[in-house]
Amino acid sequence: METGSAADTGTTPEPEPRWTGLPRGLLRMRRLLLVVWLGLAAVAVGVLLGLFAGPAWAAFALLPLAGIVWGWVGLGRNWLSWRYAERADDLLISRGVLWREETVVPYGRMQLVEVTSGPVERHFGLASVQLHTAAAATDATIPGLDPAEAERLRDRLTALGEARSAGL
Amino acid sequence: MTTPGLDEGVRPKRVVVERRLHPVTPFRRAWAPVAVVVGWAAHDPNQAQEQLTRLTTTTLLIVFAVVVPAASLYGFLSWWFTHFSVTDSELRIRTGLLFRRTAHIRLERLQAVDLTQPLLARLAGVAKLRLDVVGADKKDELAFLGASEARALRAELLARAAGFAPETAHEVGEAPARELLRVPARELAIALMLTGATWGALAAALVVPPVLWLATHSVWTVLATGLPLLGAAGASSAGRFVGEYDWTVGESPDGLRIDHGLLDRTHETVPPGRVQTVRIVEPLLWRRRGWVRVELDVAGSANSVLVPVAPRAAAEAVIARVLPGAEVPATATLSRPPRRAGRCLPLWWRGYGIAVTGAVFVARHGLLRRSVALVPHAKVQSVRLSQGPWKRLWRLADVHVDTGADKTVTARLRDAREAAELLRGQAERSRTGRRDAGPDQWMA
């Protein structure tokens, strides 16, 4: 299988795959969104309850603030848990802290590789790569990649998929 | 694989003969306007009745004078504008009166061929032909063709899909079939009587309407719930018997042949290497008799039953033909989850079990209604391991194996370390399994 070793990661020995984490941009984006939305919620709750129900009720604004702290830590741990490895014949994706999930997708099984990037993601210079196989249950998405890396991954996966392509 | 465009450029262009469906077809399509009227009447019965009382004989005659020719014209035109042709690598269907639609079905992607004959079609001597391809629509069936023409076309399509040279594909003819198993009517009837769903539907149909009558005293409510319930009861008992009557499983060089039906006859052909999953289901009441039902998953195919009922040994003999090299491991040899799985799922954890053989991944679930799923390693699309917080506490994990028929077989509540090994091992096995798998064109 020459195609597999064409790229640098192809020669990785099978037992210990070389894992790649996600770039920091994704964490930054998610934390910013968290702070913006929960911050707005805290202000809205505080102002509305303070005006209409009395200042004591405004203490409920602390709930979204606590949410920010909890989410800040949670997002960090979740971001750390995401990683992927390109092996000679398949792609590994591992993610999740409390609900852990690890997916193995053989290159030959990929029907479609998609690179998507929403407006917010684009602003932060991020893109996600999604793999589709004939089974819809295959949930193989790598979010928050650098667009150049996402395109490299897409091209490499497509090339490998063609080389190892198999029918259903 | 080359792109079709290139293909055609290189090869000397052959004349593609376009054909039409059987001339009976317009009569089938002509029902559409009638169905619309009936649907409207059923949807709004009060207004329909009101309108009917206002009709006089003359208006009725006028309506018929308009509707009948319109319906026949619609039927005729939709038949006139539907063409199909067989090229070297594709079946092309061109249809549509206002909205044109062209379907090119690649024969190498063929998963199964269904030849069905509903009762009326049998009387008229015609048949429906459908190619199961992933993503194919209901519209992509050829309805109707003359019965003998449909058989000839099926043989030709299978020969082309099998990889016979285009020049000879026409003359190859139907591959000889050898019968593997036939389900006796008596066995089928007893099996249906021993199925909980049959009695459940029947009991619901007998109990619910009287109760509703006592509660509401409204005829419409009782009819509106009673009729569907009766229909469900009929479908799950008599309907299933009629549909599964004379179930025959055969084997031919073109693959598996499944023929069944008392009134509507269905002939299905599944070419070699298309079966994604085989499941052996053993309902509680069948256990004493040692009977099982065998289900199969083929990508893009609606049918999922391989054998409706058969003694276990006979069923296993069929499975050995369907999945070459795979034998069904005995229930006792399946490895159960560790004892602590009871903390996650009391009692039912005992129903789970897995085994890995040289050719298949086997997972069992169910305590009363046992079900054993077999996935050939070569058919695995992806492998996933998942673990929630509670399972993590007990060092357990699930391994999901996704197949090409868009179904997932899960090995539940395995020891976490074993699950991780299973994940790696299964990925490796499916990789090597694919390498040894036969070609898509099975005669090539």
Side-chain angles (χ1 to χ4, degrees):
Chain A
M1 294 273 164
E2 296 80 28
T3 6
S5 41
D8 54 342
T9 45
T11 44
T12 317
E14 289 288 328
E16 204 38 68
R18 195 200 298 171
W19 292 99
T20 317
L22 297 185
R24 221 178 157 75
L26 180 74
L27 180 63
R28 227 175 285 137
M29 180 190 84
R30 285 185 173 168
R31 280 185 170 164
L32 187 76
L33 287 178
L34 175 88
V35 169
V36 167
W37 286 111
L38 283 184
L40 281 176
V43 169
V45 167
V47 168
L48 287 176
L49 285 178
L51 281 180
F52 295 108
W57 290 92
F60 273 102
L62 287 176
L63 281 180
L65 290 181
I68 289 182
V69 175
W70 181 76
W72 188 274
V73 177
L75 283 179
R77 291 184 63 192
N78 180 275
W79 173 76
L80 271 179
S81 76
W82 275 91
R83 51 190 193 156
Y84 64 94
E86 298 162 62
R87 293 202 298 185
D89 286 287
D90 42 30
L91 182 78
L92 303 186
I93 302 172
S94 169
R95 65 171 187 274
V97 181
L98 281 181
W99 276 270
R100 282 190 44 208
E101 190 147 347
E102 199 170 330
T103 309
V104 184
V105 188
Y107 296 132
R109 291 312 196 180
M110 282 182 297
Q111 303 279 336
L112 169 73
V113 185
E114 219 179 0
V115 176
T116 52
S117 182
V120 181
E121 279 182 308
R122 261 208 306 280
H123 183 255
F124 283 86
L126 300 174
S128 359
V129 173
Q130 194 173 3
L131 314 177
H132 296 273
T133 69
T138 307
D139 177 27
T141 310
I142 310 175
L145 289 173
D146 181 52
E149 163 73 0
E151 267 169 40
R152 181 199 70 81
L153 199 58
R154 180 197 60 195
D155 294 343
R156 190 176 129 78
L157 292 180
T158 322
L160 285 171
E162 256 166 42
R164 287 162 180 60
S165 156
L168 280 180
Chain B
M1 202 172 64
T2 48
T3 48
L6 268 176
D7 231 86
E8 271 164 17
V10 174
R11 245 178 243 165
K13 212 169 166 81
R14 295 195 330 134
V15 186
V16 175
V17 188
E18 282 212 322
R19 288 190 263 172
R20 284 215 176 82
L21 298 172
H22 195 270
V24 161
T25 312
F27 294 102
R28 165 198 180 228
R29 297 272 163 87
W31 280 102
V34 180
V36 168
V37 172
V38 170
W40 166 74
H43 172 75
D44 198 354
N46 290 335
Q47 214 192 336
Q49 211 169 13
E50 215 172 88
Q51 300 282 344
L52 272 178
T53 49
R54 273 196 280 149
L55 287 179
T56 59
T57 324
T58 41
T59 44
L60 262 180
L61 277 178
I62 291 169
V63 165
F64 269 104
V66 174
V67 166
V68 171
S72 11
L73 188 71
Y74 169 75
F76 173 76
L77 286 177
S78 72
W79 170 73
W80 185 256
F81 283 105
T82 302
H83 302 264
F84 71 93
S85 56
V86 184
T87 71
D88 287 355
S89 60
E90 289 175 334
L91 169 71
R92 297 183 180 168
I93 304 172
R94 207 149 58 80
T95 183
L97 182 55
L98 292 177
F99 299 94
R100 303 307 311 245
R101 176 187 155 87
T102 314
H104 289 205
I105 299 170
R106 293 194 71 87
L107 293 177
E108 68 197 27
R109 298 282 162 158
L110 181 72
Q111 300 291 323
V113 186
D114 304 331
L115 189 72
T116 46
Q117 277 192 296
L119 184 59
L120 282 175
R122 266 174 95 183
L123 294 179
V126 292
K128 262 194 264 197
L129 188 73
R130 196 175 106 94
L131 295 191
D132 289 324
V133 187
V134 176
D137 235 332
K138 177 97 178 55
K139 287 176 241 165
D140 297 333
E141 63 181 19
L142 294 174
F144 288 96
L145 296 166
S148 56
E149 190 195 1
R151 289 184 82 93
L153 183 64
R154 176 177 74 169
E156 189 190 339
L157 289 174
L158 280 169
R160 282 179 195 257
F164 280 106
E167 295 77 35
T168 56
H170 209 70
E171 289 95 52
V172 169
E174 197 141 283
R178 188 172 71 83
E179 186 179 305
L180 289 179
L181 181 125
R182 183 182 284 264
V183 180
R186 194 172 152 269
E187 206 165 284
L188 182 63
I190 296 174
L192 281 176
M193 266 186 265
L194 289 177
T195 307
T198 315
W199 294 107
L202 209 62
L206 291 179
V207 171
V208 172
V211 169
L212 268 180
W213 174 250
L214 287 179
T216 61
H217 285 282
S218 151
V219 183
W220 286 112
T221 329
V222 172
L223 276 182
T225 52
L227 285 181
L229 280 175
L230 266 181
S236 73
S237 52
R240 257 184 77 183
F241 180 79
V242 168
E244 292 175 354
Y245 182 82
D246 191 26
W247 193 288
T248 315
V249 180
E251 190 190 33
S252 78
D254 276 343
L256 205 60
R257 294 211 194 269
I258 306 171
D259 306 323
H260 59 98
L262 178 63
L263 304 176
D264 303 354
R265 286 296 290 178
T266 304
H267 312 273
E268 194 181 7
T269 309
V270 182
R274 259 61 172 182
V275 176
Q276 306 271 343
T277 314
V278 171
R279 264 186 316 278
I280 306 168
V281 184
E282 194 179 6
L284 179 64
L285 295 175
W286 292 13
R287 216 182 278 175
R288 256 198 61 204
R289 294 178 168 264
W291 288 350
V292 294
R293 181 168 72 237
V294 185
E295 300 174 346
L296 87 172
D297 290 336
V298 175
S301 168
N303 177 35
S304 68
V305 181
L306 174 60
V307 179
V309 57
R312 183 172 269 276
E316 283 178 4
V318 172
I319 292 172
R321 310 298 308 181
V322 175
L323 299 178
E327 79 270 27
V328 185
T331 316
T333 61
L334 296 182
S335 95
R336 266 201 201 163
R339 275 204 87 78
R340 56 182 191 277
R343 310 283 177 159
C344 290
L345 192 72
L347 204 57
W348 299 108
W349 70 272
R350 290 166 171 279
Y352 294 123
I354 61 157
V356 177
T357 73
V360 286
F361 174 83
V362 184
R364 185 197 143 188
H365 72 88
L367 204 55
L368 300 177
R369 184 178 176 278
R370 291 180 191 151
S371 165
V372 179
L374 291 87
V375 187
H377 294 317
K379 297 298 173 192
V380 174
Q381 297 283 324
S382 62
V383 194
R384 291 175 293 135
L385 179 146
S386 69
Q387 188 182 41
W390 185 251
K391 280 183 189 144
R392 190 171 209 193
L393 186 66
W394 296 104
R395 301 191 314 285
L396 297 168
D398 295 346
V399 176
H400 308 269
V401 172
D402 303 315
T403 71
D406 210 357
K407 298 270 168 62
T408 300
V409 172
T410 306
R412 276 184 211 284
L413 303 172
R414 307 310 302 179
D415 176 70
R417 194 183 297 260
E418 185 202 335
E421 266 165 34
L422 194 61
L423 181 79
R424 299 290 139 89
Q426 192 54 42
E428 178 65 24
R429 276 189 294 274
S430 57
R431 186 169 65 83
T432 45
R434 270 196 305 283
R435 224 170 260 164
D436 307 334
D440 264 2
Q441 301 189 330
W442 58 97
M443 286 292 182

